[in-house]
Amino acid sequence: MVVSFDRVNHDRLMAKIAERVSDKRLLKLVRGFLRAGVMEGGLVNPVDEGTPQGGPLSPLLSNIVLDEFDRELERRQLRFVRYADDSNIYVRSQRSGERVMKSVTRFITAKLKLQVNQQKSAAARPSERKFLGFTFTNAGIPKRLIAPKAVDRFKERVRELTNRNRGVSIEQMAEELSRYLRGWIGYFGKCEIPSVLVRLDHWLRRRLRCAIWKQWTRGSARFAELRKRGVNVQLAAKTAGSALGPWRLAYSPALSFALPNAYFDSLGIPRLAVNR
């Protein structure tokens, strides 16, 4: 369930904050943040309701508003997890989920004067929903699994960082990629299905071999680079003259030998599935 803060009343929100904060200077600062407006088409439009999307205070303000929501779910003895405006409530059946969805929606709209984002909210099995980039397996004991959209975002970002049209050296590419991967691993490394990380590791190395192959633009340069890395003459010549595309060749014996995982390790590129 996702709660929309586009229509949250500023006076009601400030009253909630005033219950916890007595410093009038801070309250004035928060009020100014709420009324600062949004920029559209180069013009700033004032607002008298809602919290700024992506603003630094928005997650904190949403927690203040939804604290009453948390207390209500606890009173009902429901199992739930919430982060800012996104929450999952866990029940035993589809029917229970639909019943709870209706009653909780009534509470949010009538009591909290907020709206539920119907497009992003539903009563469904945990394996069919995502939360903060994760979902759950559907068999046996549920385990954390990286949500498909999070995997797609990962691949899209890696494609951007390894695009040959950026005109950067492989060393610079590796440095920028490593920074992104370390942050990604710090979060999504909590995935409980190692095979997902292993598959992404294989895809990432293949993507890197593909990027390097594209940087070796001509057949003569490709042949020379393969030979320099120990590939025999016959295999180097066959691979350098191949009509296959870079993605296919990135999985070939020649490139796997010339650009092994140890080479990417030497560039400081972390493995996603290390110690798995």
Side-chain angles (χ1 to χ4, degrees):
M1 173 177 288
V2 178
V3 180
S4 174
F5 283 86
D6 294 340
R7 299 287 182 177
V8 63
N9 182 274
H10 286 178
D11 291 334
R12 180 180 173 83
L13 174 56
M14 291 305 302
K16 281 289 184 183
I17 298 174
E19 293 176 2
R20 300 165 178 264
V21 177
S22 58
D23 190 330
K24 293 183 178 180
R25 295 172 301 175
L26 181 57
L27 293 174
K28 184 178 180 180
L29 183 63
V30 173
R31 171 74 76 170
F33 169 80
L34 291 172
R35 301 185 64 180
V38 294
M39 180 173 288
E40 296 177 344
L43 298 176
V44 176
N45 298 318
V47 294
D48 55 10
E49 63 181 1
T51 59
Q53 289 291 324
L57 274 183
S58 294
L60 176 60
L61 296 178
S62 66
N63 281 335
I64 293 174
V65 173
L66 292 177
D67 181 67
E68 190 174 351
F69 175 60
D70 294 344
R71 302 290 81 79
E72 175 66 15
L73 296 182
E74 290 174 351
R75 187 188 67 79
R76 299 186 188 189
Q77 297 183 334
L78 292 169
R79 295 184 178 183
F80 70 97
V81 57
R82 181 180 68 79
Y83 182 84
D85 62 346
D86 194 0
S87 61
N88 281 7
I89 303 171
Y90 300 102
V91 294
R92 292 185 178 276
S93 67
Q94 179 74 22
R95 187 174 180 179
S96 296
E98 293 171 354
R99 184 178 66 251
V100 169
M101 180 82 173
K102 290 180 181 178
S103 64
V104 167
T105 299
R106 283 196 301 269
F107 174 82
I108 291 173
T109 55
K111 180 71 174 178
L112 301 184
K113 307 301 181 183
L114 296 172
Q115 294 181 334
V116 173
N117 189 323
Q118 298 294 342
Q119 292 182 335
K120 296 183 178 180
S121 304
R125 299 185 66 84
S127 59
E128 299 171 4
R129 305 296 294 167
K130 66 180 181 66
F131 184 72
L132 301 180
F134 285 96
T135 184
F136 294 95
T137 57
N138 195 29
I141 300 175
K143 294 184 178 181
R144 285 188 305 275
L145 179 67
I146 303 174
K149 286 187 178 180
V151 173
D152 291 341
R153 285 194 297 269
F154 169 82
K155 289 186 174 182
E156 183 60 32
R157 182 56 178 154
V158 170
R159 290 188 184 100
E160 292 174 358
L161 292 171
T162 58
N163 191 324
R164 69 165 179 169
N165 294 328
R166 296 181 61 220
V168 300
S169 66
I170 185 61
E171 290 75 18
Q172 182 178 341
M173 184 186 294
E175 181 180 351
E176 295 175 0
L177 180 62
S178 296
R179 284 199 298 267
Y180 170 70
L181 292 178
R182 282 192 290 269
W184 192 90
I185 293 168
Y187 186 81
F188 287 104
K190 304 299 182 182
C191 171
E192 294 180 313
I193 308 297
S195 59
V196 175
L197 296 176
V198 170
R199 286 197 299 271
L200 283 177
D201 242 342
H202 291 165
W203 178 87
L204 173 62
R205 266 57 188 179
R206 188 174 181 181
R207 174 69 191 180
L208 287 167
R209 293 186 182 101
C210 181
I212 295 173
W213 185 252
K214 289 179 180 179
Q215 287 190 346
W216 301 340
T217 54
R218 298 184 306 277
S220 58
R222 290 170 173 173
F223 175 79
E225 291 290 350
L226 291 174
R227 288 291 294 135
K228 185 168 65 176
R229 286 165 171 76
V231 179
N232 67 62
V233 174
Q234 184 178 2
L235 183 58
K238 179 180 178 181
T239 306
S242 174
L244 295 177
W247 183 249
R248 291 279 300 275
L249 288 174
Y251 200 59
S252 67
L255 264 69
S256 297
F257 182 87
L259 301 171
N261 289 342
Y263 169 70
F264 300 116
D265 293 342
S266 71
L267 292 175
I269 299 174
R271 300 193 187 197
L272 306 181
V274 65
N275 297 327
R276 295 280 180 165

